[in-house]
Amino acid sequence: MKRLLALLTAVASAIGLAALAGPPAQAATGCKAEYTVTSQWEGGFQAGVKITNLGDPVSGWTLRFTLPDAGQKVVQGWNASWSQSGSTVSAQGVDWNRTLSTGASADLGFVGSFTGANPAPTSFALNGVTCTGSVTEPPTDPPTDPPAAGTPAAVNGQLHVCGVHLCNQYDRPVQLRGMSTHGIQWFGPCYSDASLDALAQDWKSDLLRIAMYVQEDGYETDPAGFTGRVNTLVDMAEARGMYAVIDFHTLTPGDPNYNLDRAKTFFSSVAARNADKKNVIYEIANEPNGVSWTAVKSYAEQVIPVIRAADPDAVVIVGTRGWSSLGVSDGADESEVVANPVNATNIMYAFHFYAASHKDAYRATVSRAAAQLPLFVSEFGTVSATGGGAVDRTSSIAWLDLLDQLKISYANWTYSDADEGSAAFKPGTCEGTDYGSSGVLTESGALLKSRISTADNFPTS
């Protein structure tokens, strides 16, 4: 994406940040804490904590609990300012949830790591008052259940590239339609169990693109934490029968080779961890810009073997120059890729567009290129290339009709409540429980939901 949302970085506070300033914490007279480990993998886990104030209103709060095993660490948290001293973990309310009226709740979450056992905490205190509540012990093994019957991933199985198409386990061309996250460092509340249930069941989305920024307070600040968060979202998509596109979201600087070593480390880890899954697609460079196709190709030919060493079967999406426009935004076109393709198999090429900015010339390029290259629209917006402005409904529909006609898969930017025109939800609504009604959807969200939720009719013979 071509924008920064610095004012939202508090959404996913990194460990070690100073607690946000606010009114002095008031004494709580009663509280309930519900702790649940939502997923677990080798050496890591994701947990949620729901706290409910049962006493007088408080205008500032701190939740504290003790991790029972010395090897347990909080790696990354959201919806609070998190810190850890020894085995004691503290989570302090932030701007939007600092005040808790009587009966009000706050949903917190974090990704953790462990080296020995991973027992759940048994005692929680809100402003020094011990809470009642419940604890759900973590699973003993990583989730291994296949996607639910009848879901996109269950019907189509392991995907692969055949000719210029994305094909399913029956060697039939398929089109996946879904949504992209915004930066997971900023919008953690938008990717809860409830919101992803809605995405899979109400929106009937086939895929979730997981946008893991590398710079901009992303992966480079905490490689282990962001890797764990991506893996958790892969599991959450798998459990709901959706495909997961793991997006190495590079943007600035535009030359992906700047992050080559980071990419090798990251993809080596996630490919090894997810190799047995059939729902994973790897997108190795979001939007190369200010760089030649030769440089992008060189990067791809160094990263793809790292993935193939662990996961030989998954589809890999390669970014193209000019912000993944096949070079159109740089005054070029698809011919440079056709003449000098990446030396690898089972790959697709990314094409990104923003409907209000990119119109007939871009659509003409896609129409030509689709006859020679396997394309995947891994990101697009209904608004301008800034991510803001009004929805261009006419251009958006023309694009969606073209992608449907050509059976090109797509992910819309974004399944978030960012304060910008491209967001699917109105600002602040991810904190609620409604992810599909007209009351929470923006114009862009309503348009995309209406397109995505129509029947897929995947071929099986």
Side-chain angles (χ1 to χ4, degrees), residues 151-170:
T151 62
V155 171
N156 292 300
Q158 179 66 60
L159 302 172
H160 63 284
V161 178
C162 54
V164 295
H165 295 293
L166 180 66
C167 293
N168 65 10
Q169 62 182 327
Y170 304 102

Side-chain angles (χ1 to χ4, degrees), residues 133-145:
S134 61
V135 171
T136 302
E137 289 289 344
T140 56
D141 297 297
T144 57
D145 292 338

Side-chain angles (χ1 to χ4, degrees), residues 332-386:
D333 59 29
E334 76 283 1
S335 60
E336 64 182 9
V337 181
V338 173
N340 189 23
V342 171
N343 183 23
T345 59
N346 208 28
I347 66 170
M348 307 190 82
Y349 295 94
F351 189 87
H352 293 180
F353 68 86
Y354 280 78
S357 299
H358 308 136
K359 300 187 178 183
D360 291 343
Y362 288 77
R363 284 190 283 268
T365 299
V366 169
S367 296
R368 291 192 312 268
Q372 302 180 78
L373 298 170
L375 301 180
F376 198 116
V377 175
S378 54
E379 178 183 317
F380 79 94
T382 61
V383 295
S384 75
T386 65

Side-chain angles (χ1 to χ4, degrees), residues 43-69:
F45 66 102
Q46 180 178 329
V49 187
K50 180 178 182 179
I51 57 168
T52 302
N53 178 25
L54 302 180
D56 296 333
V58 294
S59 58
W61 55 266
T62 299
L63 179 74
R64 288 193 172 87
F65 57 91
T66 300
L67 292 172
D69 190 274

